[in-house]
Amino acid sequence: MYGYQIAKLLDDYSGEASFMKQGALYPVLRQLESSGLLGSKVEPSVSGPPRRYYEITAEGKETLVVWQGVWKQMKSFVDKAIKGA
Amino acid sequence: MINSIEEYLDQLKTELKDSDAATVQDALSDAEDHLRAALANLREKQPERSEDEALNSIIEQYGSPAETASAYAEVERRTVPQLSRDNPKTESVFARFFGVYADARAWGALLYMLIAFVTGIFYFTWAVTGFLLSVSFAIFIFGLPFALLFFLSVRGLALLEGRLVEGLLGVRMPRRPLFTQQNLKWFERLKELAMDRHTWFSILYMLIQFVLGTIYFVLFVTVLSISLSFIAIPVLQELFNLPTIQIREGVHYFFPTWSYPLLVLGGFLLWTIFMNLARGIGQLHGRMAKAMLVTD
């Protein structure tokens, strides 16, 4: 997917209450790329400038699994804390 | 109210004036890609909306130039080029001098000095051949498109060299191609490239790299040979009975045994000094590359 597609997808997920500006996505994509979690290639586009397509790397997939674990723990902790309150 | 993508990019550039030049180049390239793609998409879906209106609704979602600039500044503050991460902060001069062996930037600089010899020759050949052919072909109908291709190749090589400099010398360089207007006709594009200071600085860099690459390589090989020779003298004299200096047939000179530790120490010190020097040269070269290959 290229940057604009990812931004649109995130917007679709967040619905009306968009939690971030699309412009903030690009520096994050670049940071993920420079740390080896994403790979990218530029391909020509029929309508407009060439586009940079991003793809998750093997290292990125491994890190994603770790992040998902951390997120589950965090979510269960917050859920428990709210119920207890 | 922003009336065109160019205006947005100008404002973004102003907002990023305190940021690293390479970050500015990346931010402009990302913003241009996104805004053009989004505008084309929106105009296709809702052709009844005016371009100004469509653009402003896109900017509303993308973020104002100030918001975008702060997002880049924030990420940039947290991200540093790979080799500048492990910068040993030792206190004494002694520890800093010998700590060079643990400094990835020094090893990166050494590798760069070797690679620069090859890239220097390639850049020089490419720049001289491309420039001369562009001038000679100017009388033919395909002369100008050829010149355009040459200028574009120079831009591509400048970006490639930037990646090499960032990877090995740890100096932040652009990660995206330089921002250029996409809707220009090829002749206008050629004119823009030919009038751009950046193109000529890149060509100059390609020429200079030949001289610097050769100097770096000669320095590297000479110092490595001398250092290794000093260190190897005891082994060569004692194990292989080889003389260090041969004045003429039958007249040999051997270093005395007591000088062995001094010779080995001398060789080791010479190489350590060179490693420190290479690290410095790497940093200087990085600054030069940044000044010449990155636009203001």
Side-chain angles (χ1 to χ4, degrees), chain B residues 70-102:
Chain B
S70 73
Y72 278 90
E74 176 60 22
V75 171
E76 194 62 29
R77 200 176 52 75
R78 285 186 276 132
T79 319
V80 282
Q82 215 142 20
L83 286 183
S84 55
R85 271 179 208 153
D86 41 11
N87 183 10
K89 289 268 181 288
T90 38
E91 282 156 21
S92 70
V93 177
F94 184 78
R96 221 168 39 218
F97 179 71
F98 288 103
V100 73
Y101 287 100

Side-chain angles (χ1 to χ4, degrees), chain A residues 21-23 26 30-31 54, chain B residues 34 60-62 72 176:
Chain A
K21 292 285 182 189
Q22 293 171 339
Y26 289 87
R30 179 146 21 79
Q31 193 191 18
Y54 290 93
Chain B
H34 181 97
E60 175 68 27
Q61 288 177 316
Y62 188 74
Y72 278 90
R176 296 279 179 275

Side-chain angles (χ1 to χ4, degrees), chain A residues 1-76:
Chain A
M1 278 199 286
Y2 56 94
Y4 176 62
Q5 276 179 321
I6 301 172
K8 288 293 286 176
L9 200 68
L10 289 178
D11 264 7
D12 291 346
Y13 287 154
S14 58
E16 286 299 305
S18 181
F19 63 93
M20 65 184 263
K21 292 285 182 189
Q22 293 171 339
L25 170 72
Y26 289 87
V28 176
L29 286 177
R30 179 146 21 79
Q31 193 191 18
L32 290 174
E33 190 188 357
S34 67
S35 51
L37 303 180
L38 285 183
S40 82
K41 57 178 183 228
V42 178
E43 282 184 9
S45 108
V46 192
S47 59
R51 286 168 180 161
R52 182 169 291 272
Y53 286 83
Y54 290 93
E55 196 176 30
I56 191 163
T57 58
E59 198 187 339
K61 282 180 186 160
E62 284 171 25
T63 312
L64 182 63
V65 173
V66 177
W67 283 355
Q68 280 171 333
V70 172
W71 174 247
K72 271 183 198 156
Q73 280 180 353
M74 173 66 92
K75 189 176 177 300
S76 111

Side-chain angles (χ1 to χ4, degrees), chain B:
Chain B
M1 179 96 169
I2 294 172
N3 297 317
S4 66
I5 292 177
E6 284 69 32
E7 197 182 331
Y8 182 92
L9 296 172
D10 280 345
Q11 287 190 19
L12 181 59
K13 200 172 175 179
T14 315
E15 290 287 343
L16 284 163
K17 63 180 184 302
D18 296 329
S19 298
D20 188 285
T23 307
V24 179
Q25 197 165 311
D26 285 348
L28 292 177
S29 166
D30 288 341
E32 197 222 357
D33 277 4
H34 181 97
L35 296 179
R36 285 193 194 283
L39 191 61
N41 193 292
L42 197 68
R43 298 278 283 160
E44 197 178 305
K45 280 186 185 157
Q46 301 172 7
E48 71 284 354
R49 288 180 92 168
S50 74
E51 188 159 329
D52 280 3
E53 201 189 331
L55 184 63
N56 279 285
S57 91
I58 290 165
I59 290 172
E60 175 68 27
Q61 288 177 316
Y62 188 74
S64 66
E67 286 171 325
T68 309
S70 73
Y72 278 90
E74 176 60 22
V75 171
E76 194 62 29
R77 200 176 52 75
R78 285 186 276 132
T79 319
V80 282
Q82 215 142 20
L83 286 183
S84 55
R85 271 179 208 153
D86 41 11
N87 183 10
K89 289 268 181 288
T90 38
E91 282 156 21
S92 70
V93 177
F94 184 78
R96 221 168 39 218
F97 179 71
F98 288 103
V100 73
Y101 287 100
D103 188 352
R105 284 181 308 163
W107 293 105
L110 281 182
L111 189 59
Y112 184 83
M113 288 171 90
L114 277 181
I115 293 174
F117 182 58
V118 184
T119 54
I121 294 172
F122 174 73
Y123 292 159
F124 185 84
T125 317
W126 192 268
V128 171
T129 315
F131 182 75
L132 291 181
L133 284 179
S134 300
V135 173
S136 331
F137 286 162
I139 54 165
F140 299 113
I141 196 152
F142 57 88
L144 293 180
F146 184 87
L148 176 66
L149 282 180
F150 168 62
F151 284 146
L152 287 175
S153 75
V154 168
R155 286 280 172 97
L157 286 174
L159 185 71
L160 202 72
E161 172 68 13
R163 306 309 308 136
L164 207 62
V165 166
E166 182 169 332
L168 294 176
L169 304 178
V171 177
R172 174 75 169 88
M173 296 291 280
R175 293 166 189 160
R176 296 279 179 275
L178 192 70
F179 162 71
T180 44
Q181 276 181 283
Q182 298 292 336
N183 52 355
L184 290 180
K185 298 245 171 7
W186 73 266
F187 185 71
E188 288 169 336
R189 187 81 190 273
L190 173 66
K191 206 170 133 193
E192 190 201 55
L193 282 169
M195 303 285 279
D196 190 353
R197 205 161 47 98
H198 178 71
T199 312
W200 297 104
F201 271 128
S202 300
I203 294 176
L204 186 64
Y205 179 89
M206 289 168 84
L207 299 178
I208 293 175
Q209 184 75 345
F210 176 62
V211 183
L212 290 180
T214 313
I215 294 173
Y216 294 162
F217 185 78
V218 170
L219 257 178
F220 182 96
V221 173
T222 312
V223 178
L224 182 69
S225 321
I226 295 175
S227 307
L228 282 181
S229 309
F230 273 130
I231 295 169
I233 284 174
V235 181
L236 294 177
Q237 287 194 171
E238 294 303 319
L239 291 185
F240 300 99
N241 205 31
L242 284 170
T244 305
I245 300 166
Q246 181 172 0
I247 296 168
R248 59 173 192 275
E249 195 62 40
V251 183
H252 298 143
Y253 183 80
F254 285 87
F255 277 106
T257 316
W258 61 261
S259 67
Y260 290 169
L262 292 177
L263 289 168
V264 173
L265 189 71
F268 172 68
L269 276 179
L270 183 64
W271 183 248
T272 314
I273 291 171
F274 182 67
M275 288 273 289
N276 277 283
L277 190 71
R279 182 168 58 183
I281 289 175
Q283 292 306 300
L284 278 179
H285 189 97
R287 272 192 230 165
M288 185 192 86
K290 190 160 193 162
M292 295 183 79
L293 301 177
V294 183
T295 44
D296 306 326

